[in-house]
Amino acid sequence: MRIIRESLTAVAALLVLALIGLAVAPHFLDWNAHRDRLSAYLSAKTGQPVRLGGDIRLSLLPTPELDADAVTVGSETRSLVSIGRLTVSLSPLALARGVVQITSARADKVIVRAEIADLVERQKSEPPPRIGIDRLDLRGLSVLQAGTEKALVSGLDVVLEAPDLAGPFRFEVMDRAAGREVRGQVGKFEQGRARLRASLEDHRLAARSSL
């Protein structure tokens, strides 16, 4: 019995050391040296060119988390999306199945070009990538007019919950400067179409309307 007890204690100690190593080691690695490999992985999963232009920080425990600065999505000459700072936490169980399940994500200083709508229109007949989003927070979102640097809207805060990009999912859009908030749900996409239900609330006028 003593041998079994000591053996189990030794195994437990090794597991603890291994877990500590997984938690600590990423902080001592220069993940910027693996920028191209990480960019290629994200590009393959999203179906769009992804570039990590700033510092990269990665941790594995308690859940895999990527923290990156200056993230862009789209061609090098004209990005569709640019993000000042992006923090993404992933589900390790989903990754083991080859599925990207984002448990939480936050993007600050987000700029989206209106041309992204054309990309969505062209790809609506294609199956969406196997990505799920439990919660995504976009802070300081700006949308630029197609072909220009002029902002159609700016300073928006957006929350998206989409366990499956094929739908259904829920969203909230807050325009704090104007005191307006939009909340809605999008149903499951079928043949490129989905039902939309939303409500608009104007906090300054204390009024609400449904769409």
Side-chain angles (χ1 to χ4, degrees), residues 35-45 50:
R35 186 187 313 276
D36 293 341
R37 185 177 299 177
L38 290 171
S39 296
Y41 174 81
L42 294 173
S43 299
K45 290 300 181 181
V50 177

Side-chain angles (χ1 to χ4, degrees), residues 28-79:
F28 291 95
L29 294 177
D30 181 13
W31 290 103
N32 293 314
H34 301 275
R35 186 187 313 276
D36 293 341
R37 185 177 299 177
L38 290 171
S39 296
Y41 174 81
L42 294 173
S43 299
K45 290 300 181 181
T46 60
Q48 288 293 320
V50 177
R51 290 175 300 283
L52 306 174
D55 290 335
I56 302 171
R57 298 160 292 276
L58 183 67
S59 60
L60 301 178
L61 292 176
T63 59
E65 182 176 276
L66 172 68
D67 189 2
D69 299 328
V71 180
T72 58
V73 180
S75 66
E76 293 186 9
T77 57
R78 194 171 184 83
S79 61

Side-chain angles (χ1 to χ4, degrees), residues 190-208:
E190 297 179 355
Q191 298 180 347
R193 297 183 178 181
R195 289 187 175 184
L196 169 65
R197 298 178 59 185
S199 63
L200 170 64
E201 184 173 359
D202 192 315
H203 296 283
R204 293 181 178 180
L205 299 177
R208 175 180 295 181

Side-chain angles (χ1 to χ4, degrees), residues 45 91-101 130:
K45 290 300 181 181
S91 167
L93 295 179
L95 284 176
R97 303 194 308 269
V99 178
V100 176
Q101 185 69 33
R130 299 185 64 189

Side-chain angles (χ1 to χ4, degrees), residues 6-22:
E6 291 181 352
S7 298
L8 292 175
T9 301
V11 170
L14 290 174
L15 288 174
V16 170
L17 290 175
L19 290 174
I20 293 175
L22 286 174

Side-chain angles (χ1 to χ4, degrees), residues 10 13 29 36 38 40 44 52 54 74 79 82 94 115 128 137 143 157 172-173 189 191 210-211:
L29 294 177
D36 293 341
L38 290 171
L52 306 174
S79 61
S82 63
E115 289 93 329
D137 286 273
V143 179
D157 291 340
E172 297 178 8
V173 181
F189 281 90
Q191 298 180 347
S210 298
L211 305 177

